[in-house]
Amino acid sequence: MIININTKRYSVTRPLYSEDAFEDEHAKVYRKHKTFLHHVIQYFTCTSERAKNTAISLLPIIGWMKTYSFKEWLLNDILSGVSTGLVAVLQGLAFSLLASIPTWYGLYAAFFPVIMYFFLGTSRHISVGSFPVLSLMVGAVVTRLVPDEGLPANITAFEGLTKEEQRVLVSASLTFLVGLFQLGMGLLQVGFIVMYLSDTLISGFTTAAAVHILISQLKFVLGLTVPGFSGPLSIIYTLESVFTQITSTNIHDLVTSIVVMVMVLGVKEINDRFKSKLKVPIPIEIIMTVIACGVSYAFNFSENHGVDVVGKIPNTFESPIAPSLQVFQMAAVDAFPIAIVGFAVAFAVAKVYSVKHDYVIDGNQELIAFGASNIFGGAFKSLAASTALSRSAVQESTGGKTQVAGLLSAIIVLVVILGIGFLLEPLPKSVLGAVVIVNLKGMLMQVVTVPYLWKKDRPDCIVWVGTCLAAIFLGLDIGLAVGLGLELLTVVFRAQFPRCSVLANISGTDIYRDRKDYVNIYEPEGVKIFRIPSPIFFANIDFFRDKLKDAVGFNPLRILRKRNKAVKKMKKLLKKGELTLTSNGLQATCSMPIEESEDESNMEDLDKPTDYSDLPIQVNWNAELPANIQVPPVNIHSLVLDFSVVSFLDISALKGLKAIKEFIRINVDVYIVGCDPYIIEKLRNCKFFDDEIKTSIFFLTIHDAMLFINESHPPKTVSEKVMKTFGDCTSLICSFKD
């Protein structure tokens, strides 16, 4: 290769390569593939090195603690842990309202799962604990099994328990089951499952969840008693109940909520605008909580004004409980999407910070970490844990370096639970509702991406809107299923109906592009270059064949059948003497039109290669035929199939590709270019090649194939084209055989 930097041009001199010629010149390395038994033996073989790597993999703390810099990191982790712990306390209390359980159980979610994740997690920056979407999904199950009005589900473990205790049992059992699902997926190494939840789907789903959360908090903001609804259209029933009671709004709750929301939103805006100058964001949520507690205590909001407050917070941990197997049976369908959503959100946030701080996270280990965290937390009546975006942002932005900050935040929560939790007892629930609503801003603002998606990628826009609307009106669990269905449909649609194109040559180069996209482009005479821009499989093989027929302008099987019928008729007429051989070829002795037989009883014979035996001449199918025999002309002599972006073929596609025989049988040479060597190997293994389809049709590039075609079918000169034009007007339609 000669490169001229100044003119930015290059020239290459190399042989013309077909796949066969390339393999003959360049020896291929054949690797011995391991059998399934070999993989099993290797999996269960234990060595000291493998045991060490497994221990480090299952306990990532061993790896990062060895490099922990106490002088540089410890102070940052302490500051970050204190800040995150205070936020975690407030969010734990607030998000427990979404789960319809007593508020202090939200504090457990900021303690027990964090301890387990400290040892097993691979992310150094996410803050583990309650997450509003997960809390809402747990709350839907809780209110379904233990409704506000009516009898609870028929569960043996409910006997002798109050309604609150029944709800805590459901929440804890569901959290335990979510952990089992996550741990099982982690052990089975299926962390890749998160890849099926696209950013678009997650964005639409979390926006819908934010709408649900917003509606669910209206009863606290307005001080109303609204029963919990679950299932499809639950959001409509909730709004109906709220507006029916709107005249009973508690004005103290409403004013308190509005003041808190205005102040928090205003200061958060200041934090965002001056985050480069502020070493630590102003903890406005905590400040407003302290003020609200003081005002509520001073004016005795609970008794004097009927304001619903947090109430008594036990200053001890409750005893662990065994999960209910009956809850497992009734909530298994709900637990799986909760497990997936919790992991997907946490993994997405962890991935952002791992890229920013240049370290690696392991999806399968994250599943194990969250699975163990939720199992451990569920045993101690904790809420299902994931991560909250705002809380993780606090942990990272305040200088947190490792999960030591997470451990210290758990210690802050521990101090609140065991020591100063009583100070939060007069806190109005309307303040917690206001804090929840303010934290929804980021998720609700995702709706502004819809116009952008509509302009740039409409299938993605359909996924976003469909997921969001389904999750809003049908419920989060059904909405997630609908979103996954839409996402798979878009993938199938894109793969099943790809944008096939006919290529042409950019003059004077070896570059081939879609003939519709460029002006100075040259389509070789007598050649069609057809590109397939997707895998070929059972769902799109018929589409591919139809598009190929449209590109060449004819149906090769129909042409073949017409030619075979024409040859049979010529032989029959020759035998009867109604067709004679002259110097100008074959001519009919009768001027009357000869009716074409419509007998197609033996269609198999018509699909076979044309049998020219017993014919004294070679038929020119593009000229006028004798005896009024009509066969559509074929205006190409070569067909090039560009497989450079075909990643795989299945068995159905292999059978469908056999249709290239139809082109070969009507004297159209077929070439396949840019094909992956592993696909060629699969074709060999599947007995694709035979007497008609040979390996010699494969070429490395389009240009290799075109050079070969030009040697076989040299481009006609101007005089030859003129002669061809006049020649087509004569009756000379056949030439004598050699």
Side-chain angles (χ1 to χ4, degrees):
M1 179 183 294
I2 302 171
I3 301 178
N4 189 328
I5 300 296
N6 296 327
T7 58
K8 295 184 179 179
R9 299 174 68 87
Y10 76 90
S11 60
V12 178
T13 302
R14 65 168 177 82
L16 186 157
Y17 280 127
S18 67
E19 288 285 350
D20 288 347
F22 186 81
E23 288 191 8
D24 289 341
E25 187 170 326
H26 301 276
K28 190 175 180 180
V29 176
Y30 286 93
R31 296 189 298 263
K32 184 179 180 181
H33 295 285
K34 296 178 181 178
T35 63
F36 176 75
L37 180 60
H38 184 88
H39 282 291
V40 172
I41 294 172
Q42 187 179 25
Y43 184 80
F44 288 103
T45 301
C46 183
T47 63
S48 58
E49 185 66 22
R50 188 172 183 186
K52 177 183 175 182
N53 292 337
T54 302
I56 294 175
S57 174
L58 292 176
L59 291 170
I61 186 175
I62 298 174
W64 60 263
M65 278 300 287
K66 289 191 299 183
T67 60
Y68 190 85
S69 175
F70 284 89
K71 291 183 179 180
E72 297 179 8
W73 293 354
L74 184 59
L75 181 59
N76 287 331
D77 279 341
I78 291 173
L79 294 174
S80 175
V82 172
S83 303
T84 307
L86 294 173
V87 175
V89 169
L90 185 58
Q91 290 188 347
L93 294 171
F95 296 160
S96 62
L97 298 179
L98 301 172
S100 301
I101 60 175
T103 51
W104 64 85
Y105 291 104
L107 298 177
Y108 293 176
F111 179 74
F112 291 107
V114 178
I115 301 299
M116 189 61 70
Y117 189 85
F118 174 75
F119 294 101
L120 300 177
T122 58
S123 175
R124 303 176 191 176
H125 292 88
I126 64 171
S127 174
V128 177
S130 55
F131 178 56
V133 176
L134 251 61
S135 299
L136 186 68
M137 296 176 79
V138 170
V141 180
V142 169
T143 53
R144 176 166 59 84
L145 298 183
V146 188
D148 290 329
E149 299 175 358
L151 297 175
N154 185 19
I155 296 176
T156 307
F158 283 175
E159 294 180 6
L161 300 179
T162 64
K163 179 172 288 189
E164 280 191 352
E165 290 171 337
Q166 290 173 350
R167 290 189 165 186
V168 171
L169 177 61
V170 172
S171 172
S173 300
L174 182 60
T175 298
F176 196 97
L177 183 57
V178 167
L180 287 177
F181 277 131
Q182 290 174 331
L183 182 62
M185 288 189 291
L187 293 175
L188 293 174
Q189 303 286 291
V190 293
F192 64 86
I193 196 170
V194 74
M195 297 177 185
Y196 293 96
L197 300 177
S198 67
D199 293 342
T200 305
L201 185 147
I202 292 176
S203 175
F205 177 78
T206 52
T207 303
V211 174
H212 275 281
I213 294 168
L214 175 64
I215 301 302
S216 71
Q217 295 307 290
L218 290 179
K219 64 180 180 180
F220 298 110
V221 170
L222 300 175
L224 303 175
T225 302
V226 178
F229 297 98
S230 60
L233 302 181
S234 60
I235 195 169
I236 303 297
Y237 301 137
T238 302
L239 284 172
E240 181 186 17
S241 180
V242 168
F243 285 112
T244 302
Q245 306 176 56
I246 197 72
T247 55
S248 303
T249 298
N250 188 315
I251 194 65
H252 296 84
D253 276 321
L254 180 60
V255 171
T256 302
S257 301
I258 291 174
V259 171
V260 170
M261 283 191 282
V262 170
M263 291 298 296
V264 172
L265 281 173
V267 176
K268 277 182 173 288
E269 188 66 28
I270 293 173
N271 285 338
D272 289 340
R273 186 167 296 183
F274 299 101
K275 60 183 177 182
S276 59
K277 297 180 180 179
L278 293 172
K279 292 185 178 180
V280 178
I282 301 171
I284 184 60
E285 294 163 318
I286 298 167
I287 294 171
M288 293 306 298
T289 300
V290 172
I291 294 173
C293 280
V295 173
S296 176
Y297 178 77
F299 293 95
N300 199 0
F301 274 8
S302 178
E303 294 183 8
N304 295 340
H305 304 291
V307 172
D308 193 11
V309 298
V310 170
K312 184 164 182 62
I313 297 178
N315 60 351
T316 183
F317 286 110
E318 298 185 12
S319 302
I321 59 171
S324 169
L325 296 180
Q326 287 178 291
V327 174
F328 281 7
Q329 293 174 348
M330 295 182 178
V333 175
D334 304 276
F336 187 72
I338 293 174
I340 296 297
V341 171
F343 168 65
V345 171
F347 185 78
V349 177
K351 192 172 181 180
V352 170
Y353 290 125
S354 69
V355 171
K356 182 177 179 179
H357 295 278
D358 193 24
Y359 62 89
V360 178
I361 57 172
D362 183 349
N364 292 313
Q365 181 60 28
E366 286 294 291
L367 271 172
I368 293 172
F370 277 103
S373 298
N374 281 317
I375 290 172
F376 184 54
F380 284 91
K381 305 180 183 179
S382 164
L383 266 173
S386 178
T387 185
L389 282 68
S390 57
R391 195 170 60 245
S392 295
V394 170
Q395 181 166 317
E396 191 268 344
S397 63
T398 51
K401 300 296 182 182
T402 64
Q403 279 301 327
V404 170
L407 183 64
L408 292 172
S409 74
I411 293 174
I412 297 297
V413 175
L414 178 66
V415 171
V416 171
I417 294 173
L418 299 181
I420 60 175
F422 67 92
L423 296 176
L424 296 172
E425 291 177 3
L427 178 65
K429 288 185 178 179
S430 57
V431 173
L432 296 177
V435 170
V436 170
I437 291 174
V438 168
N439 278 284
L440 297 177
K441 178 187 173 185
M443 288 193 285
L444 290 172
M445 288 303 293
Q446 293 176 130
V447 73
V448 300
T449 63
V450 174
Y452 173 81
L453 289 173
W454 181 252
K455 292 178 181 178
K456 302 300 181 182
D457 196 324
R458 291 191 179 180
D460 269 356
C461 184
I462 292 171
V463 170
W464 196 102
V465 174
T467 303
C468 187
L469 293 178
I472 288 174
F473 294 107
L474 302 179
L476 294 178
D477 49 353
I478 298 176
L480 181 62
V482 170
L484 281 169
L486 287 173
E487 193 168 58
L488 291 176
L489 280 176
T490 60
V491 173
V492 170
F493 181 82
R494 293 177 204 252
Q496 189 171 353
F497 304 105
R499 183 182 176 275
C500 298
S501 56
V502 176
L503 305 185
N505 179 243
I506 302 292
S507 300
T509 71
D510 62 347
I511 300 171
Y512 294 81
R513 291 290 185 268
D514 191 334
R515 64 181 179 183
K516 298 177 182 178
D517 294 340
Y518 297 89
V519 177
N520 60 330
I521 199 161
Y522 161 71
E523 188 171 5
E525 184 180 356
V527 182
K528 285 290 180 190
I529 308 172
F530 185 72
R531 170 169 287 171
I532 307 99
S534 77
I536 307 177
F537 58 108
F538 66 93
N540 68 0
I541 182 62
D542 290 333
F543 175 82
F544 156 66
R545 292 176 63 176
D546 291 341
K547 284 294 182 181
L548 181 57
K549 292 172 188 175
D550 292 342
V552 298
F554 58 85
N555 184 336
L557 184 59
R558 181 171 175 268
I559 300 292
L560 178 63
R561 289 173 178 174
K562 288 280 188 180
R563 288 187 180 183
N564 280 333
K565 289 166 71 175
V567 168
K568 284 185 176 181
K569 184 171 292 186
M570 288 181 194
K571 290 180 180 179
K572 187 176 181 180
L573 293 175
L574 280 170
K575 184 177 284 188
K576 289 182 178 180
E578 296 175 358
L579 196 65
T580 59
L581 184 64
T582 69
S583 59
N584 290 332
L586 290 174
Q587 290 187 350
T589 58
C590 179
S591 61
M592 295 295 293
I594 301 175
E595 294 294 330
E596 185 177 339
S597 174
E598 296 295 331
D599 182 17
E600 297 185 2
S601 58
N602 194 355
M603 292 296 293
E604 290 184 3
D605 289 344
L606 296 178
D607 293 345
K608 291 179 180 179
T610 306
D611 181 13
Y612 291 104
S613 62
D614 300 331
L615 272 183
I617 52 129
Q618 181 69 44
V619 180
N620 180 0
W621 293 109
N622 288 328
E624 184 181 351
L625 299 175
N628 294 327
I629 297 174
Q630 300 293 325
V631 176
V634 175
N635 57 359
I636 64 171
H637 54 72
S638 301
L639 172 64
V640 180
L641 302 179
D642 182 4
F643 273 33
S644 57
V645 289
V646 176
S647 56
F648 72 86
L649 304 169
D650 67 359
I651 295 299
S652 299
L654 291 178
K655 293 178 180 177
L657 280 179
K658 283 283 188 179
I660 64 174
K661 284 186 177 182
E662 298 166 7
F663 286 97
I664 296 172
R665 289 171 181 176
I666 61 172
N667 303 321
V668 175
D669 298 327
V670 179
Y671 304 94
I672 299 177
V673 302
C675 192
D676 189 284
Y678 292 100
I679 292 181
I680 299 176
E681 191 64 30
K682 182 175 183 177
L683 294 175
R684 285 197 180 101
N685 294 335
C686 294
K687 311 297 183 185
F688 180 76
F689 302 108
D690 53 27
D691 292 339
E692 292 180 276
I693 305 176
K694 304 180 185 299
T695 57
S696 58
I697 69 173
F698 288 87
F699 283 80
L700 292 188
T701 68
I702 298 176
H703 207 57
D704 284 304
M706 286 305 304
L707 292 174
F708 180 81
I709 291 169
N710 287 338
E711 289 181 4
S712 306
H713 303 273
K716 291 182 173 61
T717 63
V718 175
S719 59
E720 287 175 329
K721 291 180 180 179
V722 172
M723 288 298 296
K724 179 180 183 296
T725 302
F726 285 102
D728 286 343
C729 298
T730 68
S731 61
L732 185 61
I733 51 96
C734 306
S735 59
F736 286 95
K737 287 185 177 179
D738 293 334

